[in-house]
Amino acid sequence: DAKTTQPPSMDCAEGRAANLPCNHSTISGNEYVYWYRQIHSQGPQYIIHGLKNNETNEMASLIITEDRKSSTLILPHATLRDTAVYYCIAWAGDSGGSNYKLTFGKGTLLTVNP
Amino acid sequence: GAVVSQHPSRVICKSGTSVKIECRSLDFQATTMFWYRQFPKQSLMLMATSNEGSKATYEQGVEKDKFLINHASLTLSTLTVTSAHPEDSSFYICSAGGLGADTQYFGPGTRLTVL
């Protein structure tokens, strides 16, 4: 899996948009960009993933640059409950086999302030 | 998204005892389940991959005789920490994915404390 680079921490005001960057300059053509988050003392929660096109769901939007070397996760209206560690992972998923694994880096600790 | 449960959510045991943690996929069949360990202020570290009906694949440095994994059905995998010691105290998390799935879903985690 391609290595990703994220800032260790970010702050955001409640109600504002949170934009979390991720660099993945060595991403392979078959690797998706996945975002998970982990609230303190809980298991990771899937947020969103994409390959080339921008994606949006009820939780967030994912913007991927045209060269796919970086991406940004956008939480449009951050709340206090969005305070968590956010992980950006480049992952090929089930590449035809039955043995595939996610590799977690250190992520970004997003703190949403009142 | 799919739901994965773990039981128990937390367990405290004495040194030398064995502890079993269950991981269940509640609304889908998981051909592959993964077990992670997370120490305080650190990221998740993959311990092993279990495929239904076959032996688990352990990551380098993980003792297979100490961390026994069984994936007897498409909805259940168990992790048994044998002869637990205080250094095994950690947050254990499982995840599950189906064949051809494009996403892994995680359980809520089990906090193990060995006294």
Side-chain angles (χ1 to χ4, degrees), chain A residues 10-23:
Chain A
M10 292 183 66
D11 285 287
C12 177
E14 188 178 19
R16 304 297 294 271
N19 297 282
L20 292 90
C22 179
N23 287 319

Side-chain angles (χ1 to χ4, degrees), chain B residues 6 11 13 17 28 34 37 41 45 62 70 85 87 90 97:
Chain B
Q6 278 185 245
V11 57
C13 69
T17 60
F28 68 103
F34 302 83
R37 181 168 53 182
K41 298 188 183 301
M45 294 297 296
V62 177
N70 183 277
H85 288 96
E87 57 266 31
S90 188

Side-chain angles (χ1 to χ4, degrees), chain B residues 10-57:
Chain B
R10 60 181 64 212
V11 57
I12 301 173
C13 69
K14 293 182 179 179
S15 184
T17 60
S18 294
V19 175
K20 179 184 284 188
I21 303 170
E22 292 186 350
C23 176
R24 293 182 184 272
S25 57
L26 298 185
D27 53 1
F28 68 103
Q29 294 185 328
T31 52
T32 307
M33 288 184 170
F34 302 83
W35 288 95
Y36 296 79
R37 181 168 53 182
Q38 186 175 33
F39 292 108
K41 298 188 183 301
Q42 294 187 22
S43 189
L44 283 78
M45 294 297 296
L46 180 66
M47 299 174 65
T49 303
S50 74
N51 296 303
E52 186 266 338
S54 62
K55 291 184 178 180
T57 304

Side-chain angles (χ1 to χ4, degrees), chain B residues 17-21 66-67 79-84 88 92 112:
Chain B
T17 60
S18 294
V19 175
K20 179 184 284 188
I21 303 170
K66 180 170 183 61
F67 298 99
L79 168 68
T80 301
V81 184
T82 63
S83 187
D88 298 322
Y92 291 86
L112 171 63

Side-chain angles (χ1 to χ4, degrees), chain A residues 34 36 38 41-46 49 87 91 93-94 96-106, chain B residues 32 34 36 38 43-44 46 49 51 57 59 91 93 97-104 106-108 111:
Chain A
Y34 277 78
Y36 284 81
Q38 186 177 25
S41 295
Q42 297 183 24
Q45 177 188 21
Y46 165 77
H49 74 281
Y87 296 99
W91 183 48
D94 184 359
S98 60
N99 187 358
Y100 56 102
K101 55 187 182 182
L102 287 168
T103 301
F104 285 80
K106 296 184 178 181
Chain B
T32 307
F34 302 83
Y36 296 79
Q38 186 175 33
S43 189
L44 283 78
L46 180 66
T49 303
N51 296 303
T57 304
E59 295 299 299
F91 192 48
I93 309 167
L99 184 63
D102 60 358
T103 304
Q104 281 187 33
F106 287 79
R111 175 75 60 191

Side-chain angles (χ1 to χ4, degrees), chain A residues 16-60:
Chain A
R16 304 297 294 271
N19 297 282
L20 292 90
C22 179
N23 287 319
H24 33 78
S25 58
T26 60
I27 193 168
S28 300
N30 65 340
E31 288 180 319
Y32 291 74
V33 179
Y34 277 78
W35 284 84
Y36 284 81
R37 72 180 182 183
Q38 186 177 25
I39 296 171
H40 183 63
S41 295
Q42 297 183 24
Q45 177 188 21
Y46 165 77
I47 301 174
I48 198 167
H49 74 281
L51 184 64
K52 296 180 184 178
N53 300 321
N54 299 336
E55 302 288 344
T56 296
N57 63 20
E58 64 277 6
M59 289 183 67

